[in-house]
Amino acid sequence: MTKPKLRIGLIGTGFMGKAHVFGFASAPRVFDLPYDLELHTVADITVDAANRAAAAFGFAHATADWRRIIDNPEIDVVDITAPNALHKEMALAAIRAGKHVYCEKPLAPLAQDAYEMALAAEAAGVKTQVGFNYLCNPMMTLAREMIAAGELGEIRGYRGIHCEDYMADPAGVFTFRHDPAGGGALADIGSHALATAEHLCGPITRVMGDCVTMIGERPDGKGGTRKVEVDDVGRAFLRFENGATGSIEGNWIATGRKMQHDFEIYGTKGALAFSQEHFNVLHFFSTADAKGRQGFRRIEASPDHAPYGLFCVAPGHQLGFNDLKAIEVAGYVAAIAGKGPEPFNFRKGLRIQTLVETIQTSSREQRWIDVK
Amino acid sequence: MTKPKLRIGLIGTGFMGKAHVFGFASAPRVFDLPYDLELHTVADITVDAANRAAAAFGFAHATADWRRIIDNPEIDVVDITAPNALHKEMALAAIRAGKHVYCEKPLAPLAQDAYEMALAAEAAGVKTQVGFNYLCNPMMTLAREMIAAGELGEIRGYRGIHCEDYMADPAGVFTFRHDPAGGGALADIGSHALATAEHLCGPITRVMGDCVTMIGERPDGKGGTRKVEVDDVGRAFLRFENGATGSIEGNWIATGRKMQHDFEIYGTKGALAFSQEHFNVLHFFSTADAKGRQGFRRIEASPDHAPYGLFCVAPGHQLGFNDLKAIEVAGYVAAIAGKGPEPFNFRKGLRIQTLVETIQTSSREQRWIDVK
Amino acid sequence: MTKPKLRIGLIGTGFMGKAHVFGFASAPRVFDLPYDLELHTVADITVDAANRAAAAFGFAHATADWRRIIDNPEIDVVDITAPNALHKEMALAAIRAGKHVYCEKPLAPLAQDAYEMALAAEAAGVKTQVGFNYLCNPMMTLAREMIAAGELGEIRGYRGIHCEDYMADPAGVFTFRHDPAGGGALADIGSHALATAEHLCGPITRVMGDCVTMIGERPDGKGGTRKVEVDDVGRAFLRFENGATGSIEGNWIATGRKMQHDFEIYGTKGALAFSQEHFNVLHFFSTADAKGRQGFRRIEASPDHAPYGLFCVAPGHQLGFNDLKAIEVAGYVAAIAGKGPEPFNFRKGLRIQTLVETIQTSSREQRWIDVK
Amino acid sequence: MTKPKLRIGLIGTGFMGKAHVFGFASAPRVFDLPYDLELHTVADITVDAANRAAAAFGFAHATADWRRIIDNPEIDVVDITAPNALHKEMALAAIRAGKHVYCEKPLAPLAQDAYEMALAAEAAGVKTQVGFNYLCNPMMTLAREMIAAGELGEIRGYRGIHCEDYMADPAGVFTFRHDPAGGGALADIGSHALATAEHLCGPITRVMGDCVTMIGERPDGKGGTRKVEVDDVGRAFLRFENGATGSIEGNWIATGRKMQHDFEIYGTKGALAFSQEHFNVLHFFSTADAKGRQGFRRIEASPDHAPYGLFCVAPGHQLGFNDLKAIEVAGYVAAIAGKGPEPFNFRKGLRIQTLVETIQTSSREQRWIDVK
């Protein structure tokens, strides 16, 4: 029962590079994948860094030149976790070389670039994946299924947020996340709130944005300061194709909040409430419950909520953040084998960028805008 | 140590009329009031209803004609809990008669009417009070004091909601709350979210509104239907004078939610989170806490948070909704005696109406509007 | 529709005296009582204190001699909130005078005294009430009704606690609560845990106690110290007549806890979880819920849970601690009028004392003991 | 920088076998281990099952005879996740062969067997580990460190539970967990509550047990029934060497509870509260907080709480159950390399068995017993 190999080349070894490797390591133990995953080559900026990463992560080869991964015919999948500004060049090169491409979010700083990338991938027929791993949570899947099955009735209202505080300190140095091209709280984490909103409620058709810069300049890391133009808080009113209305907020100066990716959905027959701070739980209110016995029900993740049971046969034991990455990997690998749709491909990554930019434009122009 | 009497005439005996009576009954036991409160006369639509209310609530007299209360020189305070559309006529009559006026929220369906009422009261020099009792909560007072004292540093962000589901059922009959003049979720409960926002963070200077009707017609109670034009959900982006930005949502079709009057405030040194679902608790995050020991602190109402200790000498025992009304009454009675400012006078009631209408206009005209 | 009067004489004006007055003040507004309550006379240790209390609480008369209340033929109900050690003498005198007696818990320091009191009251045919107001909570009533109706199936397990921290500081002075006769955490608050346990699950038949003194001496308030012999923590294993087993803990040195009167009940078909820290909520798990949709349901107090609706017609607005006292008063007054059973009479107060003493004896003798 | 290999032989491929494999797979990516872990051989009951497990889990070899693992000189560590009754024979054989032994809990059905195993391991000088992975949680480590550092002051009270409902259904078949030798709720999960209690508060010196069988017979899986003699609920009162007193409960018929491994610790200066249902959070109350600002602080797991940061550089993202296993593996592997103490060796596993049996004996004999 020997399986074909799927050889992976990883570019970038930071927070997300490591998370991907955790995903590659766990996925084959948890899931019955159609391939044996082989950690082939890892690229970092220097040879030393690449060698260290290869040893730590279990890659057979290391390189300081990411193009060696593109050029190597042995490699099947190029996994890009390098800084956002490089995603496009790397992805297009990989696509041209006929490789499947797994790219961290955001797909590209600008929707126009993301569009080019999606088109190229579709033309080349390669499988793509953008890392929106919160969507891989079994409780998120449960929410989506409940909505699709009509358990909440018609959806009327939505409120989503993604608030953290990693940029709350004005002494924090200017980084690529503050780059006017593609930076800001809305792009960085508001994008998660948007992805969840569409994942659950379907297409957003119209937005009114409110993007605000609260910390106008930051240390440049060289003794001076640099002007910040991107938003620290990005809000939007939303209209959905299904008739619902709602709002989202992305906020990276939300003092005290570490992972407040929350939503609340109101339907005609029920409601859901969720907080990523306790992401193994989904709260469900049903108007079908008996009078005097109604209330939000705290559903704990269990083997009833696939693929939780593959991680743990007992309910309530809880998945972790890195486990979501394993689910993401498994879905992508299945898609490469033709055993399922791409869970979140470049086209979807483009979609999120489009939403972000439409909201930014709306905020700038202070008017409602239809999402194309 | 005999006290002067303060004679009260109550108009209206529904939900709020009863709550006011609870306030009048409890306040003198809890607080050392400057007056003896005397429940003098109660007015309802019929003599029978008024008599029943007098007996149940402890009023000495009853009448089916509210003008008898206005005309009675014995009565010091006219308390109006009649339907919103009648507030103005009643209040102006009472003011003309030189009486103090206590009026349930909203002060009037339209800000213009509220303006007239506030002017009249100020010209007459009578003391006024509008019922925004959530603000009387000791934990709300604590929040306000902490912010004023700089415990959160500079305030940067605010998110407030007031969501309930009492209008979620489309089979619910058209009521005065659906009246185009003054009706809608934003006016009815979004107004609470606005009151709390300004109570804590100071003046709102600019808004962008999003008011939505989701249930377009309702039974008229006579076998037919009636078109609904007011909002079921009212949202707004906010700018505060102190430089903070924020948002509020009023929503009366939020399935499953009964009393979700919540806020979250982010400052440079700390944050607060509050839910009216557990209104004896305030959550406080301080960046001054030691590394590795930071987290939102669940502060329970206690005698350290005046006037909680007057209700109960032991911490954690909890106040109820009607207790907030007793605090409101006590503050108002003190103001009448000249022993403190009016806690929430007609001018402030007008302010809330102005905010509501500015948001409604902004929504209709789809543009940001300065709040006058 | 004039009602007969029920004239009340109150002995003691501290924490509980005040809480009773709040109950007398609110109950007639909330409930349609069979009597008009008249606050006739209040007794305190000095004339001044009594006069002040009369003014603050609204009593017509004041006295420094509690026997004046007993002797006054106008007074119908004697309400005793004096220190525990005086309960017996006062209650027996009142009973002899043919008066109804309302007595704060504990009924008496020793079960033997409580027994005498209960017998005397029964012989005299007067109505009695002991203040166990947590049981008056509509959510507690809901829990009891759900259990009685079989919604949880057969009850198998129970875990109850009542933990506070008002004695956690060893610098706290020796008080009557530390008196070897009737003092200690088990008697003071563990008694609440026991009352709730029997209220919900029926008779406890057998106990194994564990009573511990952690702070062995306390300041005597006169510059010296005094040995403490009563328990700071009282625990017990329980057997119930219905076949269930369980445990309780009373703990007054539980640092950080202010009102942790919690329980969890496990049945064959469901479970309940409750915390007095949020006493307007009851959590309900039902095995009848659909697979993958099961979870503890957060039921908020609403007009579906009588008598909540008499306080507030809208759900989720929440009762306070003093409101529970109003419910207690209403139940007692109805019993006096013959319109219902005594909610928690001296016989039941005796029962709690008996349980407390049996657990204390069991702890001392280190053996299981049947509860008589 | 090539590392020496550590070759692992795994016996048993069920729930825990899989969890161990997840640990072996993740640990090297998360931690800089002193060895390369090699999944050498896996044993299951049949060749087919073993082959399937080898493929799924990534072992190079498979066998239906666990003694082949013992006999293979290439293998360094024998990992035993077979049924409890087999632990002793397997472990002693492995120890005799000079191998390190990693054994799932309970170490053996009876303390006497565990004692023999611990002695054998110590005599042979091999490194041992028993799977008590809840203790590997960074928040548990934080709690232990805070207590050790005196942040809570002197510890006075402890309350621990481990409640689940996997045996709540009386139709559930009799399994090895119901075996009179070593079975029951106290042994199965109460053991976790005991392990946590000693991990945090140090040695338990004396116990009073209360072990109860609620479901007296179960289907035997062959159409008949079988008598159950082990406890469904096991409770104990506790005395600690440090002077604190406390209690624990293990309950496997706690309807609705899936992972209620909770504790609450009260000290003279502070308190901790924890629930495994949200195991990335620790609640901390400090009496050093300012008056009016005290409350339980919700500390979220972050890189400040090692080794969380090795899994994720951002706070609040949360570890999962299987991540705890990776931490367990890393600690054990470090101990094998002589770079740290054995985190939870056979001697400690024996300790837990001793506590369990002492409580069982105490319950049977209805008396307090000193723990040897």
Side-chain angles (χ1 to χ4, degrees):
Chain A
M1 212 172 61
T2 173
K3 293 175 179 178
K5 296 208 172 216
L6 192 72
R7 293 180 185 88
I8 295 155
L10 172 70
I11 309 176
T13 63
F15 178 9
M16 276 302 131
K18 200 168 177 184
H20 283 224
V21 169
F22 292 154
F24 294 134
S26 297
R29 268 80 186 185
V30 177
F31 297 89
D32 182 15
L33 300 184
Y35 297 102
D36 275 341
L37 304 189
E38 188 180 310
L39 301 185
H40 191 285
T41 302
V42 60
D44 205 333
I45 296 176
T46 67
V47 174
D48 270 10
N51 278 336
R52 272 197 308 275
F57 295 168
F59 281 83
H61 310 282
T63 176
D65 177 7
W66 60 267
R67 292 186 183 277
R68 301 282 290 273
I69 287 177
I70 306 295
D71 295 341
N72 190 330
E74 285 183 357
I75 290 175
D76 303 300
V77 178
V78 175
D79 183 7
I80 304 169
T81 68
N84 304 345
L86 304 173
H87 288 184
K88 184 183 176 183
E89 184 186 3
M90 291 169 171
L92 289 180
I95 291 166
R96 272 193 303 270
K99 297 190 188 309
H100 303 296
V101 188
Y102 185 8
C103 184
E104 247 320 297
K105 64 145 282 258
L107 185 48
L110 300 178
Q112 188 175 326
D113 298 317
Y115 180 59
E116 232 177 288
M117 293 159 76
L119 280 192
E122 287 163 12
V126 299
K127 302 293 185 181
T128 57
Q129 172 83 358
V130 188
F132 274 90
N133 53 314
Y134 299 125
L135 305 180
C136 298
N137 179 355
M139 300 321 271
M140 200 68 94
T141 303
L142 173 63
R144 183 179 157 106
E145 288 171 359
M146 290 175 76
I147 293 167
E151 292 186 46
L152 305 192
E154 248 175 84
I155 303 305
R156 284 174 176 164
Y158 187 85
R159 200 167 55 243
I161 59 175
H162 191 124
C163 299
E164 303 194 23
D165 67 358
Y166 56 100
M167 294 295 181
D169 185 354
V173 170
F174 192 104
T175 73
F176 75 89
R177 292 178 201 274
H178 300 98
D179 193 306
L186 183 70
D188 205 37
I189 54 177
S191 53
H192 287 300
L194 290 164
T196 296
E198 287 210 330
H199 190 65
L200 298 176
C201 296
I204 293 167
T205 54
R206 198 165 156 77
V207 298
M208 171 73 215
D210 180 27
C211 298
V212 185
T213 308
M214 295 299 292
I215 299 174
E217 64 177 30
R218 288 182 175 274
D220 62 5
K222 304 164 197 162
T225 61
R226 190 159 162 193
K227 192 177 174 196
V228 176
E229 288 167 276
V230 300
D231 60 279
D232 291 306
V233 186
R235 303 180 184 91
F237 300 141
L238 309 175
R239 295 292 177 271
F240 291 90
E241 198 175 280
N242 68 6
T245 75
S247 69
I248 59 100
E249 175 178 337
N251 186 334
W252 66 17
I253 57 168
T255 305
R257 291 300 178 187
K258 310 303 175 188
M259 184 35 72
Q260 197 182 22
H261 178 89
D262 297 359
F263 66 77
E264 206 150 324
I265 308 179
Y266 307 115
T268 50
K269 295 183 186 169
L272 295 176
F274 173 85
S275 173
Q276 185 75 18
E277 292 183 353
H278 297 306
F279 73 74
N280 287 271
V281 170
L282 182 67
H283 298 271
F284 169 42
F285 183 95
S286 171
T287 61
D289 285 344
K291 197 172 138 73
R293 302 293 180 275
Q294 298 189 352
F296 277 89
R297 224 179 279 176
R298 187 177 165 280
I299 305 173
E300 295 181 81
S302 80
D304 293 333
H305 312 111
Y308 175 96
L310 298 178
F311 288 87
C312 182
V313 298
H317 283 54
Q318 302 158 56
L319 303 189
F321 175 78
N322 290 328
D323 293 326
L324 304 185
K325 219 64 192 174
I327 299 175
E328 186 175 286
V329 163
Y332 181 42
V333 168
I336 290 174
K339 304 202 165 181
E342 295 154 307
F344 207 92
N345 60 17
F346 278 16
R347 180 62 66 167
K348 286 189 183 163
L350 160 63
R351 172 68 184 175
I352 300 305
Q353 285 306 106
T354 303
L355 287 168
V356 165
E357 290 182 21
T358 308
I359 290 168
Q360 288 168 335
T361 304
S362 161
S363 173
R364 211 163 38 239
E365 303 184 356
Q366 304 200 2
R367 62 184 183 88
W368 283 86
I369 303 188
D370 289 334
V371 182
K372 280 171 212 151
Chain B
M1 211 171 65
T2 173
K3 292 175 180 177
K5 295 210 172 215
L6 191 72
R7 293 181 185 87
I8 295 155
L10 172 69
I11 310 176
T13 63
F15 178 8
M16 276 302 132
K18 202 169 175 182
H20 283 224
V21 169
F22 292 155
F24 295 133
S26 298
R29 268 81 186 183
V30 177
F31 297 89
D32 183 15
L33 298 184
Y35 297 103
D36 275 341
L37 304 189
E38 188 180 310
L39 301 185
H40 190 284
T41 302
V42 61
D44 205 333
I45 296 177
T46 67
V47 174
D48 270 10
N51 279 335
R52 272 197 308 275
F57 295 169
F59 281 83
H61 310 283
T63 176
D65 177 6
W66 62 267
R67 293 187 182 275
R68 300 283 288 274
I69 287 177
I70 306 294
D71 296 342
N72 192 329
E74 286 184 356
I75 290 175
D76 304 300
V77 177
V78 176
D79 182 7
I80 304 169
T81 67
N84 305 345
L86 304 173
H87 288 184
K88 183 183 176 184
E89 183 186 3
M90 291 170 172
L92 289 180
I95 290 165
R96 273 192 303 268
K99 297 189 189 309
H100 304 296
V101 188
Y102 184 9
C103 185
E104 246 320 296
K105 64 144 282 259
L107 186 47
L110 300 178
Q112 187 175 327
D113 299 317
Y115 181 59
E116 232 175 287
M117 294 159 76
L119 280 192
E122 287 163 11
V126 299
K127 303 292 186 181
T128 55
Q129 172 83 357
V130 187
F132 274 90
N133 52 313
Y134 299 125
L135 305 181
C136 299
N137 179 355
M139 300 321 272
M140 200 69 93
T141 302
L142 174 62
R144 184 179 157 105
E145 289 172 357
M146 290 176 75
I147 293 168
E151 294 186 43
L152 305 191
E154 249 174 83
I155 303 304
R156 284 174 176 165
Y158 186 86
R159 199 165 58 242
I161 59 175
H162 191 124
C163 298
E164 303 194 23
D165 68 358
Y166 57 99
M167 294 295 181
D169 185 354
V173 170
F174 192 104
T175 74
F176 75 89
R177 293 179 201 273
H178 301 97
D179 193 307
L186 183 69
D188 206 36
I189 53 177
S191 53
H192 286 301
L194 290 163
T196 296
E198 287 211 330
H199 190 64
L200 297 176
C201 297
I204 293 167
T205 54
R206 199 166 155 76
V207 298
M208 171 73 214
D210 180 27
C211 298
V212 186
T213 308
M214 295 299 291
I215 300 174
E217 64 176 31
R218 288 184 174 274
D220 62 4
K222 304 165 197 163
T225 60
R226 190 161 162 191
K227 192 178 174 195
V228 177
E229 290 167 275
V230 300
D231 60 280
D232 291 307
V233 187
R235 303 178 185 92
F237 300 140
L238 309 175
R239 294 292 178 273
F240 291 90
E241 200 176 280
N242 67 7
T245 76
S247 68
I248 60 101
E249 175 177 337
N251 186 333
W252 66 18
I253 57 168
T255 305
R257 291 299 178 187
K258 309 304 175 187
M259 184 35 73
Q260 197 182 21
H261 178 89
D262 298 0
F263 65 78
E264 206 151 323
I265 308 179
Y266 307 115
T268 49
K269 295 184 185 168
L272 295 176
F274 173 84
S275 173
Q276 186 74 19
E277 292 183 353
H278 298 306
F279 73 75
N280 286 272
V281 170
L282 181 67
H283 298 271
F284 169 42
F285 183 96
S286 171
T287 60
D289 284 344
K291 198 171 138 74
R293 302 292 180 275
Q294 299 189 351
F296 276 90
R297 224 181 279 176
R298 188 178 164 279
I299 304 174
E300 294 181 82
S302 81
D304 292 333
H305 313 110
Y308 174 95
L310 298 179
F311 288 87
C312 183
V313 298
H317 283 54
Q318 299 158 57
L319 303 189
F321 175 77
N322 290 329
D323 293 326
L324 304 185
K325 220 62 193 175
I327 299 175
E328 185 175 287
V329 164
Y332 181 42
V333 169
I336 290 175
K339 304 202 165 180
E342 295 154 306
F344 207 93
N345 61 16
F346 278 15
R347 180 63 64 167
K348 285 189 183 164
L350 160 63
R351 171 68 184 176
I352 301 304
Q353 284 308 105
T354 302
L355 287 168
V356 165
E357 289 182 22
T358 309
I359 290 168
Q360 288 167 335
T361 304
S362 161
S363 173
R364 213 163 37 240
E365 303 183 358
Q366 304 199 2
R367 62 184 182 90
W368 283 86
I369 302 189
D370 289 334
V371 182
K372 280 171 211 154
Chain C
M1 211 171 66
T2 174
K3 294 174 179 177
K5 296 209 171 214
L6 192 72
R7 293 181 186 86
I8 295 154
L10 173 68
I11 309 175
T13 63
F15 178 8
M16 276 301 132
K18 201 169 177 183
H20 282 224
V21 170
F22 292 155
F24 294 133
S26 298
R29 268 80 187 184
V30 176
F31 297 89
D32 183 14
L33 299 183
Y35 296 102
D36 275 340
L37 304 189
E38 189 180 308
L39 301 185
H40 191 284
T41 302
V42 61
D44 206 333
I45 296 177
T46 67
V47 174
D48 270 10
N51 278 335
R52 271 197 308 274
F57 296 170
F59 281 82
H61 309 283
T63 176
D65 176 7
W66 61 267
R67 293 186 183 276
R68 300 282 289 273
I69 287 176
I70 306 294
D71 296 342
N72 192 329
E74 286 184 355
I75 290 175
D76 304 300
V77 177
V78 176
D79 182 7
I80 303 169
T81 67
N84 305 343
L86 305 172
H87 289 184
K88 184 184 177 185
E89 182 185 4
M90 291 170 172
L92 289 180
I95 290 166
R96 274 194 301 270
K99 298 191 188 307
H100 304 297
V101 188
Y102 184 9
C103 185
E104 247 320 298
K105 63 146 283 260
L107 186 47
L110 300 178
Q112 188 175 327
D113 300 316
Y115 180 60
E116 231 176 288
M117 294 159 77
L119 280 192
E122 287 163 11
V126 300
K127 303 293 186 181
T128 56
Q129 171 82 357
V130 188
F132 274 90
N133 52 313
Y134 300 125
L135 305 180
C136 298
N137 179 354
M139 301 320 272
M140 201 67 95
T141 303
L142 174 62
R144 183 179 157 105
E145 288 173 358
M146 290 176 75
I147 293 167
E151 294 186 44
L152 306 191
E154 248 174 86
I155 303 305
R156 284 173 175 166
Y158 186 85
R159 198 165 57 243
I161 59 174
H162 191 124
C163 299
E164 303 195 24
D165 67 358
Y166 56 100
M167 294 294 180
D169 185 353
V173 171
F174 192 103
T175 73
F176 75 90
R177 294 178 201 274
H178 301 97
D179 194 307
L186 183 70
D188 205 37
I189 53 176
S191 53
H192 287 300
L194 289 163
T196 296
E198 287 211 329
H199 190 65
L200 297 176
C201 297
I204 294 166
T205 54
R206 198 167 156 76
V207 299
M208 172 72 214
D210 180 27
C211 298
V212 186
T213 308
M214 295 299 292
I215 301 175
E217 64 177 28
R218 287 183 175 273
D220 62 4
K222 305 165 196 162
T225 59
R226 190 161 162 190
K227 191 176 175 196
V228 177
E229 289 167 276
V230 299
D231 61 279
D232 292 307
V233 187
R235 304 180 184 90
F237 301 141
L238 308 175
R239 294 292 178 271
F240 292 89
E241 198 176 280
N242 67 8
T245 76
S247 68
I248 58 101
E249 175 178 336
N251 186 333
W252 65 18
I253 57 167
T255 304
R257 291 299 178 187
K258 310 303 174 186
M259 184 35 72
Q260 196 182 22
H261 178 89
D262 297 0
F263 66 78
E264 206 149 322
I265 308 178
Y266 307 115
T268 50
K269 295 184 185 168
L272 295 176
F274 173 84
S275 174
Q276 185 74 18
E277 292 183 353
H278 297 306
F279 72 74
N280 286 272
V281 169
L282 181 67
H283 298 271
F284 169 43
F285 183 95
S286 172
T287 61
D289 285 344
K291 197 172 138 73
R293 302 292 181 276
Q294 298 188 352
F296 276 90
R297 226 180 278 176
R298 187 178 166 279
I299 304 175
E300 295 181 80
S302 80
D304 293 334
H305 313 109
Y308 174 95
L310 298 179
F311 288 87
C312 183
V313 298
H317 282 55
Q318 300 159 56
L319 302 188
F321 175 77
N322 289 329
D323 293 326
L324 304 184
K325 218 65 192 173
I327 299 174
E328 185 175 287
V329 164
Y332 180 42
V333 169
I336 290 174
K339 303 204 165 181
E342 294 155 307
F344 206 92
N345 61 17
F346 278 15
R347 181 63 64 167
K348 286 189 182 161
L350 160 63
R351 171 69 183 174
I352 300 305
Q353 284 307 104
T354 303
L355 287 168
V356 165
E357 289 182 22
T358 311
I359 290 168
Q360 288 167 335
T361 304
S362 161
S363 173
R364 212 163 36 240
E365 303 183 358
Q366 303 199 6
R367 61 183 184 89
W368 283 86
I369 303 188
D370 288 334
V371 182
K372 280 171 212 152
Chain D
M1 212 172 62
T2 173
K3 294 175 179 177
K5 295 209 173 217
L6 192 72
R7 292 182 186 84
I8 295 154
L10 172 69
I11 310 175
T13 64
F15 179 9
M16 275 303 130
K18 201 168 176 183
H20 283 224
V21 170
F22 292 155
F24 294 133
S26 298
R29 267 81 186 184
V30 177
F31 297 89
D32 182 15
L33 299 183
Y35 297 102
D36 276 339
L37 304 189
E38 188 180 308
L39 302 184
H40 190 285
T41 302
V42 61
D44 205 334
I45 296 176
T46 66
V47 174
D48 270 9
N51 279 335
R52 271 197 308 275
F57 296 169
F59 282 81
H61 310 284
T63 176
D65 176 6
W66 61 267
R67 295 185 182 278
R68 301 282 288 274
I69 286 176
I70 306 294
D71 296 342
N72 191 329
E74 286 183 356
I75 290 175
D76 304 300
V77 178
V78 176
D79 182 7
I80 304 170
T81 67
N84 305 344
L86 304 173
H87 289 184
K88 184 183 175 185
E89 182 186 4
M90 291 169 171
L92 289 180
I95 290 166
R96 274 193 302 270
K99 297 191 189 306
H100 304 296
V101 188
Y102 184 8
C103 184
E104 247 321 296
K105 61 143 286 254
L107 185 48
L110 300 177
Q112 188 175 326
D113 299 316
Y115 181 60
E116 230 176 288
M117 294 159 76
L119 280 192
E122 287 163 10
V126 300
K127 303 292 185 181
T128 57
Q129 170 84 356
V130 187
F132 274 91
N133 52 314
Y134 299 125
L135 305 181
C136 299
N137 179 354
M139 300 321 271
M140 201 69 95
T141 302
L142 174 63
R144 183 179 159 104
E145 288 172 357
M146 290 175 75
I147 292 167
E151 295 186 42
L152 305 191
E154 248 174 84
I155 302 304
R156 285 174 175 165
Y158 187 86
R159 200 165 57 242
I161 59 175
H162 191 124
C163 299
E164 302 194 23
D165 68 358
Y166 56 99
M167 293 295 180
D169 184 355
V173 171
F174 192 104
T175 72
F176 75 90
R177 293 178 201 274
H178 300 98
D179 194 306
L186 183 70
D188 206 35
I189 53 177
S191 52
H192 287 299
L194 290 163
T196 295
E198 288 211 329
H199 190 65
L200 297 176
C201 297
I204 294 166
T205 55
R206 198 166 158 76
V207 298
M208 171 73 216
D210 180 27
C211 298
V212 186
T213 308
M214 296 299 292
I215 301 174
E217 65 177 30
R218 289 182 174 274
D220 63 4
K222 305 164 196 162
T225 61
R226 190 161 164 191
K227 193 177 173 195
V228 177
E229 289 167 275
V230 299
D231 60 279
D232 291 308
V233 187
R235 303 180 186 90
F237 300 140
L238 308 175
R239 294 292 178 272
F240 292 90
E241 199 176 279
N242 68 7
T245 76
S247 68
I248 59 101
E249 175 178 336
N251 186 334
W252 67 17
I253 58 168
T255 305
R257 291 299 178 187
K258 310 304 174 187
M259 184 35 73
Q260 197 182 20
H261 178 89
D262 297 1
F263 65 78
E264 206 149 323
I265 308 179
Y266 307 114
T268 50
K269 295 184 186 169
L272 295 177
F274 173 84
S275 173
Q276 185 75 18
E277 291 183 354
H278 298 305
F279 72 75
N280 286 271
V281 170
L282 181 67
H283 298 272
F284 169 42
F285 183 96
S286 172
T287 61
D289 285 344
K291 198 172 138 73
R293 303 292 180 275
Q294 298 189 352
F296 276 90
R297 226 180 278 176
R298 189 178 164 278
I299 305 174
E300 295 180 80
S302 79
D304 292 333
H305 313 110
Y308 175 96
L310 298 179
F311 289 87
C312 183
V313 297
H317 283 54
Q318 300 159 56
L319 304 189
F321 175 77
N322 290 329
D323 293 326
L324 304 185
K325 219 65 192 174
I327 298 174
E328 185 175 286
V329 164
Y332 181 42
V333 168
I336 291 175
K339 305 204 165 179
E342 293 155 308
F344 208 92
N345 61 17
F346 277 15
R347 180 63 64 167
K348 286 190 183 162
L350 160 62
R351 171 70 183 174
I352 301 303
Q353 284 307 105
T354 303
L355 286 168
V356 165
E357 289 183 22
T358 309
I359 291 168
Q360 289 167 336
T361 303
S362 161
S363 172
R364 212 163 37 241
E365 303 183 357
Q366 304 199 5
R367 61 182 184 92
W368 284 85
I369 303 188
D370 288 334
V371 182
K372 282 172 211 152

